[in-house]
Amino acid sequence: MPQPPNMQQMLKQVQKMQQDMEAAQAALKDERVEASAGGGMVNVVVSGDLQVKEIRIDPEAIDPEDPELLSDMVLAAVNEALRSAQQLVETKLGGAMGGMQGLGLPGL
């Protein structure tokens, strides 16, 4: 018959995991990812806490006859940068969550 987890040990593991998560989240604010669209005509920088920090648009990308093209390039670059930032978050916070499997808690 399996032995129940030691509650004090489990509490220490949860506290350590919480500290690791807080540290990882704080570090993510300083991380940056960049994505571009239109062959580099539009560049977007997003932080690890999923904030758009910068959008750079090459003046050649601005065509008054086709504003939809610029809009599409900005949208594509922002979405790609957010996807990359989300991947970064999952990678960084996934390591901090690593201790959860050993706690013997259902659903974690």
Side-chain angles (χ1 to χ4, degrees):
M1 183 163 181
Q3 200 168 8
N6 177 324
M7 292 305 279
Q8 193 166 14
Q9 180 184 3
M10 191 177 357
L11 181 58
K12 284 181 184 179
Q13 284 181 311
V14 169
Q15 288 172 335
K16 168 119 176 55
M17 185 192 63
Q18 184 178 14
Q19 290 170 345
D20 291 348
M21 287 286 288
E22 289 170 1
Q25 287 172 330
L28 280 169
K29 290 181 181 179
D30 296 326
E31 296 278 340
R32 300 283 189 268
V33 296
E34 186 169 343
S36 65
M41 302 277 279
V42 175
N43 293 285
V44 175
V45 177
V46 173
S47 64
D49 61 347
L50 306 180
Q51 298 293 311
V52 176
K53 295 296 186 179
E54 182 180 349
I55 297 176
R56 292 186 310 273
I57 300 172
D58 186 313
E60 291 183 27
I62 303 169
D63 180 356
E65 301 296 317
D66 192 5
E68 291 83 20
L69 178 62
L70 177 57
S71 178
D72 289 345
M73 286 191 289
V74 170
L75 188 61
V78 168
N79 284 332
E80 182 58 33
L82 287 172
R83 271 191 292 277
S84 295
Q86 186 61 44
Q87 237 177 346
L88 176 68
V89 168
E90 290 171 9
T91 300
K92 296 280 185 174
L93 295 186
M97 293 287 290
M100 290 293 280
Q101 288 81 18
L103 293 179
L105 298 174
L108 298 177

